[in-house]
Amino acid sequence: MADEPPFGQVWRIVAGSAVAILWVVTPASVAPAWALFPAVLLVLLSCRFVPLILRRLLPFEASTQAVWFERRQLAKRYDSYQWRKLLWFGLGMSVVQTVVGWSSQPLVVLTVLFLLSGLAGIFVWRRHTKTASVDAGGAS
């Protein structure tokens, strides 16, 4: 599945890299600094809505649909389930900035926000799953 490790992390790193590359090669006269934030928001929204459209249009096995449904329920209950995905976008953006050796202040700010938010999401998610496994173990 597209969201299973390591494929899910890899495609998010690629998406973050693509955003950073496009930003680095776009002249400042074409895209003002503030334009980075709505552009990235558009990328993140497309990561949400493209799969939704594909789920409606393409036939998938019932087992696959059940896994996706469970993940959507987790995402609705726990913000950290989604926030941790930002780490991979931030890593992709930071790789491009490191390799190219140049970046703009908005890109650096956004990258740091993604990395910190993603790390916080992972920390909270691991704490949640640790608590859930203890609760499940105590219930049996």
Side-chain angles (χ1 to χ4, degrees):
M1 279 193 237
D3 216 24
E4 291 289 326
F7 187 74
Q9 289 88 347
V10 169
W11 83 259
R12 286 184 184 90
I13 289 171
V14 169
S17 297
V19 167
I21 289 169
L22 288 173
W23 185 254
V24 168
V25 300
T26 302
S29 61
V30 174
W34 61 266
L36 176 64
F37 297 97
V40 170
L41 182 61
L42 182 64
V43 170
L44 293 175
L45 287 173
S46 68
C47 289
R48 171 72 174 124
F49 289 109
V50 168
L52 182 132
I53 293 167
L54 291 177
R55 280 194 309 269
R56 305 269 185 210
L57 295 177
L58 302 175
F60 291 98
E61 294 181 17
S63 61
T64 301
Q65 290 178 6
V67 169
W68 288 341
F69 177 77
E70 182 181 325
R71 288 182 181 166
R72 287 192 307 275
Q73 296 308 309
L74 281 172
K76 288 178 184 178
R77 278 186 238 136
Y78 306 102
D79 289 339
S80 59
Y81 183 80
Q82 297 294 358
W83 281 97
R84 64 196 179 119
K85 295 175 182 179
L86 291 178
L87 174 68
W88 306 106
F89 283 102
L91 282 174
M93 293 179 350
S94 66
V95 165
V96 168
Q97 293 174 70
T98 302
V99 170
V100 171
W102 178 89
S103 60
S104 65
Q105 184 179 4
L107 188 58
V108 171
V109 169
L110 192 61
T111 301
V112 169
L113 284 173
F114 276 23
L115 291 172
L116 293 176
S117 299
L119 287 171
I122 286 173
F123 175 75
V124 171
W125 181 249
R126 285 197 175 153
R127 195 174 69 198
H128 159 71
T129 54
K130 189 177 188 180
T131 303
S133 66
V134 168
D135 290 346
S140 41

